[in-house]
Amino acid sequence: MSISTPGGPERRPTVVSTGKKPAAGRPAAGDKPAAKAGAGKAGGGKGTPRPGAGGKGRKPVTPVKVSQGRSWGPIALFVAVGVLAVGIIGVGAWAVYQGAQPWQKRADAINGIVNYRDKDPESLKYEKHQSGPLKYKYSPPVGGVHNDAWQNCMGDVYDAPIANEHAVHSLEHGAVWITYRPDLPQDQVEKLAGKVRGTEKMLMSPYEGLDKAISLQAWGYQLKVDNADDERIDEFIKDLRVNASVEGPTALCNQGVTATGTTPRDLGAQMPTQ
Amino acid sequence: MNATGTTDRETATAPEVDQGEARLPRRFGVLALAVILVVGLLLGYAGGFLTPQLTRPGDSSPEAGFARDMTTHHSQAVEMSLTAYRSATLPGVRQIAVDIATGQQGEIGAMQTWLREWNLSPTGSEPPMSWMPDGRASMRDGLMPGMATSDQMKQLREAQGIAVDQQFLSLMIDHHLGGIHMVDAVLKVTDDPEVVRVASTMKATQQNELNSLLDLQRQAKG
């Protein structure tokens, strides 16, 4: 912008020089452009010679226009190119940044989600598989020690409660476990089942003693909601299914326990007899 | 022109303007060169940085849909095959079952790696089969073409003796037919070399396996 000011003073002498009464015309011509230059850029520039020309009846307007075009052209071009470049880079970078948001960030952005990986990492630690009933700090559990056998999580919809000790192992394999209060209306249960059926790394079961109607678990994450229409359910599944796996995307969800019942069992007990 | 009408007062201003006029174009030239260089470099860098990001398959692309849905499809084949590997009677059935299970599990790993490399989530925002023309219509009970129902899977798990072989063969033949149908759909629309390579391998493998499965089906019946 500093380059635009030389255009003003440079113009003034040209106008004045063609005027016949320099002494008288000077102050008037000098005052007007100063006032107009402050008001506008191109409009002010064009208007400048006119009062002078109108009053004195001269047309030295052409050289004024030429000198004006010479400085504005490249500036406008560079500004345009610059704005365009910054725009392209900005929009591109923003799109890439948005798309590349790691799943952890997207999960943490879900309203009401509890991130136990940050809040209580100790509760998720374990040294080896343990058999038999185990105690969990949170209800429903979101991770930690578990049995050898996992609960089948091939989009399995269980109609009765299942064992925490198996379900936690499924969470470790990247499953999202939907639990609901046994008194949840049937149409809501069906809605939830529709998100589970046919999709691996998903399982669902009723759960006694929930403080909210529905609770979703992934390894180290939990979200409790009041009804099956809550949009955060889909967001939770989208962000954490498979991603939350401790053992990567190829950990198995089949060949596990398919029976219901809250007492953990040995896998051998439900294997078909050969 | 200037010389004639110039007064003393104006001669004081004129040189200042002339100086500015003489200096400006040169300073402007250097500045312009610098601006051109910087803008050019930025554009080049941004182009190089963004092109692979913008040309890779997007969240709703057929490639991403295929990777996600074929992962689901394959997962069930792995489940059927591992069940057959454990409890089928005919050695030939157990042999092809473990081959299918490990082969498809490996392909799941490849497809999941694509999604990571494309910066996409393993789970899409759109319902399954949306990437395929008429794909949504081919779904029944939330299942993709060729997939077994949870009841059929339960029966297979609980079957005994030669019934395991028979059920597995029948389910897996349908499964492969549905799988090949989906592979054909992605091959029709993609030009991603890696997707083409893996999908072509899948198709060739499943077509060969299909022939073997049909052979075994005749053995299991007779």
Side-chain angles (χ1 to χ4, degrees):
Chain A
M1 288 309 278
S2 60
I3 307 166
S4 68
T5 28
E10 184 207 332
R11 215 183 297 129
R12 261 172 251 142
T14 325
V15 175
V16 169
S17 65
T18 48
K20 279 182 180 169
K21 300 167 192 166
R26 194 85 238 347
D31 283 349
K32 276 181 190 170
K36 285 200 175 176
K41 5 136 226 163
K46 269 185 185 174
T48 310
R50 260 176 213 160
K56 270 88 225 175
R58 292 291 172 271
K59 291 195 174 180
V61 181
T62 330
V64 171
K65 274 186 180 169
V66 169
S67 71
Q68 200 179 14
R70 214 185 283 145
S71 48
W72 276 112
I75 291 167
L77 188 72
F78 283 126
V79 167
V81 169
V83 166
L84 193 73
V86 169
I88 291 171
I89 293 163
V91 167
W94 183 81
V96 168
Y97 171 78
Q98 282 298 106
Q101 281 265 67
W103 59 267
Q104 291 96 330
K105 275 201 165 177
R106 283 185 277 121
D108 284 338
I110 298 174
N111 193 21
I113 198 170
V114 183
N115 180 344
Y116 288 104
R117 295 184 187 210
D118 286 348
K119 203 180 150 193
D120 189 3
E122 281 303 311
S123 71
L124 302 175
K125 285 186 181 159
Y126 72 97
E127 284 178 357
K128 56 180 182 179
H129 293 152
Q130 275 181 37
S131 53
L134 302 166
K135 286 223 176 240
Y136 289 98
K137 195 170 168 185
Y138 303 105
S139 172
V142 294
V145 67
H146 47 262
N147 278 188
D148 289 338
W150 54 90
Q151 191 78 25
N152 251 40
C153 38
M154 295 292 293
D156 291 88
V157 176
Y158 299 101
D159 55 7
I162 56 174
N164 289 334
E165 293 80 357
H166 301 316
V168 168
H169 199 161
S170 306
L171 299 183
E172 188 194 34
H173 285 203
V176 166
W177 178 25
I178 300 182
T179 51
Y180 59 94
R181 229 160 34 195
D183 62 1
L184 190 72
Q186 194 52 39
D187 62 316
Q188 298 245 338
V189 175
E190 254 323 294
K191 212 163 261 169
L192 293 175
K195 302 177 192 296
V196 175
R197 237 177 250 129
T199 308
E200 81 287 1
K201 303 283 166 80
M202 289 295 297
L203 74 162
M204 162 173 162
S205 67
Y207 201 94
E208 299 279 355
L210 283 182
D211 52 352
K212 284 215 179 183
I214 298 161
S215 178
L216 293 97
Q217 285 73 228
W219 185 269
Y221 291 91
Q222 191 162 55
L223 174 71
K224 296 185 173 178
V225 299
D226 291 316
N227 75 77
D229 294 313
D230 200 308
E231 287 172 357
R232 290 173 297 168
I233 296 175
D234 287 339
E235 191 58 37
F236 187 95
I237 296 169
K238 181 171 158 48
D239 295 340
L240 294 170
R241 184 184 150 256
V242 183
N243 280 326
S245 173
V246 180
E247 300 179 351
T250 52
L252 276 188
C253 255
N254 60 71
Q255 312 307 310
V257 174
T258 52
T260 53
T262 51
T263 310
R265 59 188 70 213
D266 289 333
L267 197 49
Q270 67 146 18
M271 290 259 190
T273 41
Q274 308 246 6
Chain B
M1 271 169 85
N2 267 356
T4 42
T6 317
T7 62
D8 282 342
R9 253 190 289 167
E10 279 160 53
T11 29
T13 5
E16 198 189 296
V17 171
D18 283 346
Q19 259 184 3
E21 234 184 343
R23 216 186 300 131
L24 264 175
R26 283 182 65 197
R27 209 195 296 152
F28 192 69
V30 173
L31 187 73
L33 199 68
V35 168
I36 289 170
L37 262 172
V38 169
V39 168
L41 281 172
L42 275 175
L43 277 176
Y45 175 77
F49 176 70
L50 292 174
T51 304
Q53 316 258 17
L54 297 175
T55 54
R56 73 186 180 203
D59 193 48
S60 55
S61 67
E63 288 88 353
F66 174 77
R68 288 169 181 144
D69 291 351
M70 193 49 91
T71 294
T72 299
H73 205 264
H74 270 31
S75 305
Q76 196 188 52
V78 171
E79 178 171 21
M80 286 177 188
S81 303
L82 287 177
T83 304
Y85 178 54
R86 194 177 59 218
S87 11
T89 304
L90 296 174
V93 170
R94 297 181 61 174
Q95 192 71 63
I96 199 170
V98 75
D99 194 8
I100 293 173
T102 52
Q104 298 217 353
Q105 188 72 2
E107 287 169 349
I108 291 173
M111 292 185 289
Q112 291 298 311
T113 305
W114 294 346
L115 292 170
R116 286 190 69 86
E117 284 181 348
W118 298 337
N119 256 327
L120 300 176
S121 177
T123 303
S125 329
E126 285 167 59
M129 298 297 281
S130 305
W131 59 275
M132 226 174 116
D134 302 325
R136 294 293 299 152
S138 67
M139 300 271 293
R140 53 180 172 81
D141 301 331
L143 297 171
M144 297 165 199
M147 280 181 74
T149 63
S150 55
D151 282 347
Q152 286 173 314
M153 294 304 289
K154 188 163 184 271
Q155 277 173 30
L156 177 67
R157 277 196 300 267
E158 291 168 357
Q160 292 185 24
I162 196 74
V164 175
D165 305 58
Q166 289 163 346
Q167 287 183 31
F168 165 73
L169 290 165
S170 154
L171 291 176
M172 188 52 82
I173 286 166
D174 282 353
H175 207 275
H176 268 19
L177 287 172
I180 291 169
H181 176 64
M182 287 165 69
V183 169
D184 276 337
V186 79
L187 283 173
K188 213 175 275 176
V189 293
T190 190
D191 54 0
D192 185 297
E194 181 64 6
V195 175
V196 169
R197 187 183 69 78
V198 172
S200 307
T201 309
M202 275 182 201
K203 187 177 174 179
T205 309
Q206 294 195 21
Q207 274 172 335
N208 283 340
E209 283 169 355
L210 205 49
N211 295 332
S212 307
L213 290 168
L214 289 164
D215 258 6
L216 287 164
Q217 199 174 39
R218 281 186 281 276
Q219 287 181 43
K221 266 173 192 159

PDB file of all heavy atoms in Angstrom, chain A residues 6 77-78 119 153 238 242 271:
ATOM      1  N   PRO A   6       2.956   7.303  -3.680  1.00  0.00           N
ATOM      2  CA  PRO A   6       3.731   8.063  -4.686  1.00  0.00           C
ATOM      3  C   PRO A   6       2.882   8.436  -5.894  1.00  0.00           C
ATOM      4  O   PRO A   6       3.152   9.435  -6.552  1.00  0.00           O
ATOM      5  CB  PRO A   6       4.835   7.101  -5.098  1.00  0.00           C
ATOM      6  CG  PRO A   6       5.007   6.190  -3.940  1.00  0.00           C
ATOM      7  CD  PRO A   6       3.666   6.094  -3.263  1.00  0.00           C
ATOM      8  N   LEU A  77      -2.030  -7.719  -9.404  1.00  0.00           N
ATOM      9  CA  LEU A  77      -1.713  -9.079  -9.835  1.00  0.00           C
ATOM     10  C   LEU A  77      -1.058  -9.870  -8.707  1.00  0.00           C
ATOM     11  O   LEU A  77      -1.459 -10.990  -8.391  1.00  0.00           O
ATOM     12  CB  LEU A  77      -0.782  -9.014 -11.051  1.00  0.00           C
ATOM     13  CG  LEU A  77      -0.527 -10.360 -11.724  1.00  0.00           C
ATOM     14  CD1 LEU A  77      -1.760 -10.814 -12.463  1.00  0.00           C
ATOM     15  CD2 LEU A  77       0.662 -10.272 -12.670  1.00  0.00           C
ATOM     16  N   PHE A  78      -0.060  -9.229  -8.077  1.00  0.00           N
ATOM     17  CA  PHE A  78       0.664  -9.938  -7.020  1.00  0.00           C
ATOM     18  C   PHE A  78      -0.227 -10.202  -5.819  1.00  0.00           C
ATOM     19  O   PHE A  78      -0.170 -11.259  -5.206  1.00  0.00           O
ATOM     20  CB  PHE A  78       1.911  -9.152  -6.598  1.00  0.00           C
ATOM     21  CG  PHE A  78       3.019  -9.286  -7.591  1.00  0.00           C
ATOM     22  CD1 PHE A  78       3.628  -8.179  -8.139  1.00  0.00           C
ATOM     23  CD2 PHE A  78       3.448 -10.551  -8.002  1.00  0.00           C
ATOM     24  CE1 PHE A  78       4.635  -8.299  -9.070  1.00  0.00           C
ATOM     25  CE2 PHE A  78       4.459 -10.680  -8.922  1.00  0.00           C
ATOM     26  CZ  PHE A  78       5.056  -9.547  -9.465  1.00  0.00           C
ATOM     27  N   LYS A 119      -7.411 -41.062  31.897  1.00  0.00           N
ATOM     28  CA  LYS A 119      -7.885 -40.804  33.253  1.00  0.00           C
ATOM     29  C   LYS A 119      -7.370 -41.830  34.256  1.00  0.00           C
ATOM     30  O   LYS A 119      -7.032 -41.488  35.383  1.00  0.00           O
ATOM     31  CB  LYS A 119      -9.424 -40.846  33.225  1.00  0.00           C
ATOM     32  CG  LYS A 119     -10.088 -40.085  34.353  1.00  0.00           C
ATOM     33  CD  LYS A 119     -11.610 -40.208  34.221  1.00  0.00           C
ATOM     34  CE  LYS A 119     -12.266 -40.140  35.576  1.00  0.00           C
ATOM     35  NZ  LYS A 119     -13.666 -40.548  35.513  1.00  0.00           N
ATOM     36  N   CYS A 153     -17.401 -61.632  18.727  1.00  0.00           N
ATOM     37  CA  CYS A 153     -17.824 -60.255  18.459  1.00  0.00           C
ATOM     38  C   CYS A 153     -17.933 -60.043  16.951  1.00  0.00           C
ATOM     39  O   CYS A 153     -17.462 -59.062  16.396  1.00  0.00           O
ATOM     40  CB  CYS A 153     -16.872 -59.257  19.109  1.00  0.00           C
ATOM     41  SG  CYS A 153     -15.118 -59.703  19.084  1.00  0.00           S
ATOM     42  N   LYS A 238     -17.866 -45.299  14.951  1.00  0.00           N
ATOM     43  CA  LYS A 238     -17.011 -44.907  13.826  1.00  0.00           C
ATOM     44  C   LYS A 238     -15.573 -44.640  14.282  1.00  0.00           C
ATOM     45  O   LYS A 238     -14.628 -45.021  13.616  1.00  0.00           O
ATOM     46  CB  LYS A 238     -17.584 -43.660  13.145  1.00  0.00           C
ATOM     47  CG  LYS A 238     -16.758 -43.190  11.948  1.00  0.00           C
ATOM     48  CD  LYS A 238     -17.496 -42.093  11.205  1.00  0.00           C
ATOM     49  CE  LYS A 238     -16.579 -41.222  10.358  1.00  0.00           C
ATOM     50  NZ  LYS A 238     -15.640 -41.920   9.509  1.00  0.00           N
ATOM     51  N   VAL A 242     -12.431 -51.179  15.830  1.00  0.00           N
ATOM     52  CA  VAL A 242     -11.146 -51.560  15.239  1.00  0.00           C
ATOM     53  C   VAL A 242     -10.000 -50.648  15.721  1.00  0.00           C
ATOM     54  O   VAL A 242      -8.961 -51.135  16.160  1.00  0.00           O
ATOM     55  CB  VAL A 242     -11.181 -51.580  13.690  1.00  0.00           C
ATOM     56  CG1 VAL A 242      -9.852 -52.059  13.132  1.00  0.00           C
ATOM     57  CG2 VAL A 242     -12.313 -52.459  13.172  1.00  0.00           C
ATOM     58  N   MET A 271     -16.975 -76.043  23.058  1.00  0.00           N
ATOM     59  CA  MET A 271     -16.528 -76.541  21.754  1.00  0.00           C
ATOM     60  C   MET A 271     -17.353 -77.752  21.360  1.00  0.00           C
ATOM     61  O   MET A 271     -17.696 -78.569  22.212  1.00  0.00           O
ATOM     62  CB  MET A 271     -15.052 -76.975  21.846  1.00  0.00           C
ATOM     63  CG  MET A 271     -14.111 -75.823  22.004  1.00  0.00           C
ATOM     64  SD  MET A 271     -13.351 -75.436  20.432  1.00  0.00           S
ATOM     65  CE  MET A 271     -12.088 -74.288  20.933  1.00  0.00           C
TER      66      MET A 271
END
